[in-house]
Amino acid sequence: MEYFQVYLSVLLVVFHNLCQIRATKEVTFHISEEQKEGTFIGSLRKALQLKASVAFTMLDSSNYFLLDTESGNLYVATDKLDRDSLCPQDILDECVLSSDVFISSEEQSEIVKIKVYILDVNDNAPCFSEEIIILSVPEDATVGTMHPIDHLASDRDTKNNSALTYHLNCTDETFSLYQNAEVLLLTVQKPLDRETQNEYQMYLVASDGGNPALSGSTLIRVQVTDVNDNCPIFLTNNVSVNLPRNTSVNATVIQLLAVDEDIGENHIIQYVYGNRVQESSKSFFHLNSSTGMITLSVSIHDNMPQQHKLTVLAIGPGCAPAVAYISISIQELPKKDVCVELRFVASHENNTVSITEDAVPNTILAILDIEDPDHSILRPLYINNTSPFYLRPAENSPDRYLLLTYRNLDFELQRNYDIYIIGNSTVNGSTVYAKKISIKIEDVNDNYPQFSQTLVEIFIEENNDPGAFLLKLSASDADSGSNSKISYSFGEDPHSMFKIESTDGILTAGESFDREEEASYLLLITASDHGFPSKNSTCTVIVNILDQNDNAPNFPTKDLTFYVPENLPRGGEVGIINVTDADSGLNSEFSVYFINYTTLFSIDQKSLILRSMGFLDYERELTYELLIEATDFGNPPLSNRVKVTVFILDVNDNAPLILLPESNFSYVLVPPETTKGSCITKVHAIDYDAGMNGVITYSGIGKMGDSSKLFMIDALTGNITLKENTHGHHCGLYQLIVKASDHGYPEVLSTIVRVNILLNDSISNQSYLESLIMDKASMSKENQVISLSSCTKYSAMASFSLQLSVPTVISILAFSVFCLLGVLLFLCTRRNSKKKKKPDIEIPLKLAVDYYVKDWNELKYETRQETDKG
């Protein structure tokens, strides 16, 4: 009940503020279609980098997504996301589902728009609208002739998943496929002959650009159309006929047969008499122009000539005529019995002849001998039905006929024939001889096994169990008996990762697959029949291994180290976080995040470049340790971590800081009796850079004048010593300009200071001296000497010293007490203080002073102030 009241109050707050609050932010997520219910899409909390305790409420009702109100995680709420159903007519190739989410906490509330882009996966194979495409190509088409294919495949996917390429899958190379944009052209590669082969069959295969690719196919039947490239030929062109005198009118004298291997109108043959045939013969014998049958037109009488010579032309379209010569002899009535003997040449049994289907045309099956002294049987004898066999008179004997094959035989089309050899009477045309012959066609292994598909593509997820079923291949053979029995095996290159049953063609996995080692396999499966010699055909099987999220993002090492200068600009490149994922698809995509929260660095999710988002300071922080995690988008997601150490390299960004003298207005007293080589004062500076950037050398600048003869500056220690005794030199205020320079590269930084040296016994008039120094507030680039009085036997300066002795002594005592108290206070503070950062370089001073810097920023500020004053 309490939960319901809280939920109701949240809803009231939401609806109360809907009119005033608009979506101020937009968050996008990407997910592939076909994801199952409960699949993680993304986290609003992580995307918006929210840390406080907030509540998430989806304002729009959605049947596709579920939002966790506490964690802000977005999940798939339906059984299956189908992009093709959600966005069937999306012309922009983008499928986006939007919703508003109300985010509320004690501190704030806002509405965020979320957009979920449904990414297309290659789940639709190319599809042809026609199962069979029929094309007609004339047999006289020249090599290179192109014929368009108007039937293209379609693919419901988008982008590369719907980009189609085509190829032909055929057993020969008579045709090839040419593709230009979306135009497919079938190109003739070899000369065609309809009489040899009148139809070609091949598969047009369309493959999309997905990964893995899918394909679809349709059968193309190319029908070779006839052209008039054959002319009529007489099967028998020189025939002698004995016509009995008692032959009745309209009786068949001879049946001429001319053949033309063309079809249709090109096959039409017209029979006509030649020009030299006598008109009387034409009146006696009628020639049927369509059938070529010659019949007796009138009754044979005594005045009819005994011999007739006929010339018959067989005329085809556009052809020279074929010529047949017929000699007809009028014979008296037979006085002797007719004897017909049939002798078999081919293998036979009980009037059944056996012949193999590979017998060539004009193979002799039997010999028919006729003894007909009175010519009572009309010549030639003939076969009364259509069959691939015919009778041909022997060349040297008109009474002998050969039973021959007329064309190629095919066991698969017809296995048995019953033919009748007929002989008619020359008198009345009645049948006087009829002989039935059964012909059995025996099978030979002339057919290759045929796969139902010559290209098969299958998919299986990696990490499968050994022995998993992959595919059942099926091939058929049109032969019979052992010639049609098929065994399956691998081709020339068998693969140990697969097994195939030789009898039933079942393909199984021999081992567990690893997509990261091999993404796909190309197998050549051979189907061989048991004929002799054996014939075989092949089928190509493409086995695509689907990815599983079994690899976490991988860093090359557990620790990455980068070195960057401290002057790296904001947004500068620190280094590349090299991370890879051996998986594919969403399983290989990942996001990279910081585990330890930092605002000083950021990571580009695309280039994985680690960049600086703030200003680095070697003097403040030397190293940074970052923990970075990479999480992939798999289900479930996998992750890995790496430790990144960023070392800050020093650059020369600090000029030396002068500690001694304290200012350009301080001074030191040097009595005239000071001996040669004595150290009278020193210049001491420190540099907070490291390495050579912090090494300091000292030198004088400007024109030294008389000072060069009296003072010397040690380049390493900064000590200023006397080069010779002061006797004989003029007493006065010596001003030296000293430069402290570091050894930085490529630019050397330096600081200058003015050193005031008073050569005298004592300070007799301190205010006068300080007024001289203060008058020189603007530093000259020349070393100067301000004469005060002569030092000859120090008489003049003695008067000057006596006048100043009392105030000088009081000042020195007060200053000494003050310095002593300062040193004691500093030592106590140093002993009780915590661990502090010290300068990188400490140069020991001969004066008993220990310089300590409390705060680096204050020290740099003071350094700049001193430099500006100088």
Side-chain angles (χ1 to χ4, degrees):
M1 185 64 181
E2 293 178 355
Y3 175 82
F4 176 78
Q5 291 176 349
V6 172
Y7 182 75
L8 182 59
S9 63
V10 171
L11 287 180
L12 290 176
V13 172
V14 169
F15 287 109
H16 177 72
N17 293 285
L18 277 178
C19 298
Q20 301 177 353
I21 303 176
R22 294 184 178 179
T24 59
K25 296 181 180 179
E26 183 176 287
V27 178
T28 61
F29 297 106
H30 297 78
I31 185 170
S32 296
E33 62 173 329
E34 304 296 334
Q35 299 298 318
K36 298 179 181 179
E37 181 178 358
T39 301
F40 175 74
I41 298 176
S43 174
L44 276 176
R45 184 183 297 278
K46 183 178 289 186
L48 297 173
Q49 296 184 352
L50 300 176
K51 287 189 174 182
S53 175
V54 296
F56 301 87
T57 303
M58 184 175 289
L59 300 181
D60 305 326
S61 60
S62 174
N63 297 326
Y64 305 107
F65 306 113
L66 177 64
L67 179 65
D68 191 310
T69 58
E70 295 182 357
S71 65
N73 292 340
L74 191 64
Y75 301 92
V76 176
T78 184
D79 291 339
K80 182 178 180 182
L81 280 179
D82 188 359
R83 185 186 186 280
D84 306 313
S85 299
L86 294 174
C87 306
Q89 297 179 347
D90 195 350
I91 61 174
L92 297 178
D93 290 338
E94 288 187 352
C95 184
V96 184
L97 298 180
S98 302
S99 183
D100 291 336
V101 175
F102 181 72
I103 302 176
S104 61
S105 65
E106 294 179 356
E107 294 82 5
Q108 64 178 4
S109 62
E110 62 178 338
I111 295 178
V112 175
K113 180 176 286 296
I114 60 172
K115 289 186 176 180
V116 181
Y117 287 80
I118 310 302
L119 304 180
D120 182 51
V121 298
N122 194 20
D123 58 343
N124 291 283
C127 178
F128 289 91
S129 58
E130 295 82 9
E131 295 183 357
I132 299 177
I133 299 174
I134 299 177
L135 301 177
S136 296
V137 179
E139 64 176 325
D140 62 345
T142 59
V143 174
T145 302
M146 295 184 178
H147 299 269
I149 300 176
D150 296 332
H151 307 278
L152 300 179
S154 60
D155 195 312
R156 296 179 61 193
D157 294 320
T158 62
K159 296 183 179 178
N160 288 341
N161 294 334
S162 64
L164 302 182
T165 57
Y166 298 85
H167 69 274
L168 284 180
N169 185 3
C170 52
T171 56
D172 57 20
E173 298 179 353
T174 306
F175 297 92
S176 65
L177 186 67
Y178 173 76
Q179 181 177 358
N180 184 7
E182 293 188 358
V183 178
L184 297 181
L185 299 173
L186 191 67
T187 306
V188 179
Q189 296 292 105
K190 296 180 179 179
L192 305 176
D193 186 5
R194 187 204 62 81
E195 288 72 34
T196 301
Q197 186 170 351
N198 61 0
E199 185 177 279
Y200 294 85
Q201 293 188 2
M202 62 205 73
Y203 284 93
L204 176 63
V205 181
S207 301
D208 59 27
N211 184 16
L214 301 178
S215 62
S217 63
T218 184
L219 176 65
I220 296 181
R221 293 175 57 186
V222 180
Q223 297 178 346
V224 182
T225 58
D226 184 59
V227 297
N228 191 26
D229 58 347
N230 293 282
C231 290
I233 299 175
F234 278 106
L235 296 179
T236 303
N237 58 3
N238 195 350
V239 183
S240 297
V241 178
N242 294 321
L243 187 64
R245 186 173 289 277
N246 60 350
T247 302
S248 59
V249 177
N250 296 325
T252 301
V253 177
I254 188 172
Q255 171 67 63
L256 296 176
L257 181 61
V259 295
D260 190 324
E261 294 186 358
D262 294 324
I263 60 174
E265 294 182 355
N266 299 326
H267 181 70
I268 298 175
I269 299 175
Q270 184 179 10
Y271 300 89
V272 297
Y273 281 124
N275 294 330
R276 295 186 179 182
V277 178
Q278 297 179 0
E279 292 297 328
S280 60
S281 296
K282 293 180 181 181
S283 63
F284 293 152
F285 304 101
H286 173 71
L287 174 62
N288 189 312
S289 63
S290 299
T291 63
M293 181 179 289
I294 300 176
T295 58
L296 184 63
S297 301
V298 297
S299 299
I300 299 176
H301 50 79
D302 293 339
N303 296 328
M304 181 179 289
Q306 298 295 315
Q307 299 293 329
H308 298 270
K309 299 292 186 180
L310 304 178
T311 302
V312 178
L313 307 179
I315 302 174
C319 292
V323 183
Y325 300 99
I326 299 97
S327 297
I328 301 176
S329 300
I330 305 299
Q331 300 292 327
E332 297 295 333
L333 294 174
K335 297 179 181 180
K336 294 182 180 181
D337 295 334
V338 177
C339 179
V340 179
E341 181 181 5
L342 182 64
R343 293 177 295 172
F344 293 103
V345 176
S347 176
H348 66 285
E349 183 178 357
N350 297 329
N351 285 334
T352 300
V353 180
S354 298
I355 184 172
T356 58
E357 62 175 326
D358 60 346
V360 297
N362 296 320
T363 299
I364 301 176
L365 303 181
I367 301 175
L368 187 70
D369 289 322
I370 303 174
E371 291 183 6
D372 185 11
D374 296 330
H375 303 284
S376 58
I377 297 180
L378 188 62
R379 311 298 174 83
L381 278 67
Y382 62 92
I383 298 174
N384 72 334
N385 53 2
T386 303
S387 66
F389 309 97
Y390 74 104
L391 285 175
R392 188 184 73 186
E395 295 181 357
N396 299 324
S397 176
D399 293 327
R400 173 172 291 175
Y401 289 84
L402 303 177
L403 178 61
L404 307 170
T405 58
Y406 167 62
R407 61 174 183 268
N408 290 325
L409 305 175
D410 193 342
F411 171 83
E412 288 71 37
L413 292 179
Q414 190 168 345
R415 302 183 180 186
N416 296 284
Y417 295 90
D418 289 332
I419 64 173
Y420 292 86
I421 299 177
I422 302 298
N424 294 327
S425 172
T426 57
V427 178
N428 54 16
S430 61
T431 301
V432 295
Y433 178 79
K435 180 67 174 179
K436 176 185 176 182
I437 301 177
S438 297
I439 301 176
K440 178 181 179 183
I441 310 301
E442 295 181 350
D443 182 46
V444 296
N445 193 25
D446 60 341
N447 287 282
Y448 289 84
Q450 295 294 324
F451 284 95
S452 57
Q453 289 181 280
T454 57
L455 177 63
V456 181
E457 191 171 11
I458 60 175
F459 303 87
I460 183 173
E461 288 191 345
E462 63 178 337
N463 304 319
N464 59 287
D465 295 329
F469 172 84
L470 299 179
L471 176 67
K472 187 179 189 305
L473 296 167
S474 177
S476 60
D477 196 313
D479 294 321
S480 64
S482 61
N483 294 334
S484 64
K485 189 176 181 180
I486 298 175
S487 294
Y488 301 88
S489 62
F490 289 108
E492 298 179 356
D493 188 16
H495 207 293
S496 61
M497 297 292 290
F498 302 89
K499 295 181 180 179
I500 189 169
E501 294 291 338
S502 61
T503 56
D504 54 16
I506 295 178
L507 182 67
T508 58
E511 299 179 17
S512 180
F513 300 118
D514 187 353
R515 191 207 62 81
E516 285 71 35
E517 292 184 1
E518 194 76 30
S520 65
Y521 298 87
L522 184 66
L523 306 178
L524 196 65
I525 307 300
T526 301
S528 305
D529 61 26
H530 290 197
F532 183 80
S534 176
K535 293 184 179 296
N536 59 71
S537 61
T538 59
C539 173
T540 301
V541 178
I542 300 175
V543 181
N544 295 297
I545 311 303
L546 300 179
D547 184 62
Q548 289 185 341
N549 193 26
D550 56 349
N551 290 279
N554 181 47
F555 295 92
T557 61
K558 293 297 182 182
D559 297 277
L560 295 177
T561 302
F562 298 109
Y563 296 87
V564 295
E566 64 176 331
N567 62 349
L568 183 70
R570 180 181 177 89
E573 180 178 341
V574 176
I576 298 178
I577 307 300
N578 188 11
V579 55
T580 58
D581 195 321
D583 293 320
S584 66
L586 283 178
N587 295 333
S588 66
E589 298 179 8
F590 50 83
S591 297
V592 181
Y593 303 97
F594 288 106
I595 299 301
N596 53 338
Y597 184 75
T598 177
T599 58
L600 194 57
F601 299 93
S602 69
I603 300 177
D604 190 313
Q605 293 295 326
K606 292 184 178 179
S607 61
L608 299 181
I609 295 178
L610 180 64
R611 298 186 182 276
S612 169
M613 301 308 294
F615 297 97
L616 306 176
D617 193 343
Y618 171 84
E619 288 72 23
R620 181 180 295 274
E621 194 73 36
L622 299 180
T623 60
Y624 295 89
E625 290 187 355
L626 308 174
L627 289 179
I628 296 177
E629 181 177 89
T631 303
D632 62 26
F633 296 156
N635 186 17
L638 301 178
S639 61
N640 206 347
R641 294 184 180 182
V642 67
K643 177 184 176 183
V644 179
T645 303
V646 181
F647 287 93
I648 309 303
L649 302 178
D650 181 65
V651 296
N652 192 25
D653 59 346
N654 293 285
L657 175 63
I658 303 293
L659 299 180
L660 281 179
E662 295 180 353
S663 71
N664 291 322
F665 308 111
S666 60
Y667 55 89
V668 63
L669 176 65
V670 178
E673 66 272 13
T674 305
T675 60
K676 175 182 178 181
S678 299
C679 178
I680 58 176
T681 186
K682 76 173 300 176
V683 176
H684 177 60
I686 60 174
D687 194 316
Y688 288 92
D689 293 320
M692 297 301 295
N693 296 331
V695 176
I696 300 174
T697 56
Y698 304 90
S699 63
I701 63 172
K703 297 179 181 179
M704 298 297 292
D706 294 337
S707 301
S708 63
K709 301 176 182 179
L710 187 59
F711 306 105
M712 179 178 64
I713 303 173
D714 191 297
L716 297 179
T717 63
N719 291 339
I720 300 177
T721 59
L722 291 175
K723 295 173 62 177
E724 57 185 51
N725 295 325
T726 59
H727 299 293
H729 288 273
H730 197 282
C731 289
L733 179 65
Y734 290 81
Q735 293 182 324
L736 304 179
I737 300 175
V738 180
K739 179 171 66 174
S741 304
D742 61 23
H743 288 197
Y745 179 84
E747 181 182 2
V748 175
L749 301 180
S750 60
T751 305
I752 61 175
V753 66
R754 186 169 61 194
V755 180
N756 299 302
I757 302 174
L758 177 61
L759 181 60
N760 208 344
D761 281 326
S762 63
I763 302 174
S764 59
N765 191 342
Q766 183 176 0
S767 60
Y768 174 71
L769 178 63
E770 289 176 352
S771 65
L772 288 177
I773 296 175
M774 294 299 292
D775 288 343
K776 301 297 181 178
S778 177
M779 184 181 295
S780 173
K781 292 186 178 180
E782 295 184 1
N783 298 278
Q784 300 181 11
V785 178
I786 302 174
S787 298
L788 298 179
S789 61
S790 174
C791 286
T792 305
K793 296 182 180 180
Y794 312 104
S795 59
M797 282 301 291
S799 176
F800 182 79
S801 299
L802 287 174
Q803 298 175 5
L804 301 178
S805 59
V806 175
T808 300
V809 171
I810 296 174
S811 299
I812 293 174
L813 290 176
F815 181 78
S816 299
V817 173
F818 177 80
C819 292
L820 180 60
L821 292 175
V823 170
L824 292 176
L825 180 61
F826 172 77
L827 291 177
C828 293
T829 305
R830 183 181 182 187
R831 183 178 303 167
N832 298 325
S833 63
K834 296 181 179 179
K835 186 178 181 181
K836 301 287 186 177
K837 180 179 179 181
K838 296 183 178 181
D840 292 324
I841 299 177
E842 295 180 1
I843 300 178
L845 306 179
K846 292 185 176 181
L847 300 179
V849 179
D850 183 20
Y851 299 99
Y852 182 79
V853 181
K854 293 183 179 180
D855 185 82
W856 164 236
N857 291 327
E858 295 178 1
L859 184 56
K860 289 199 290 184
Y861 176 76
E862 294 173 0
T863 303
R864 287 195 294 268
Q865 294 294 325
E866 291 295 332
T867 304
D868 294 337
K869 292 179 180 180

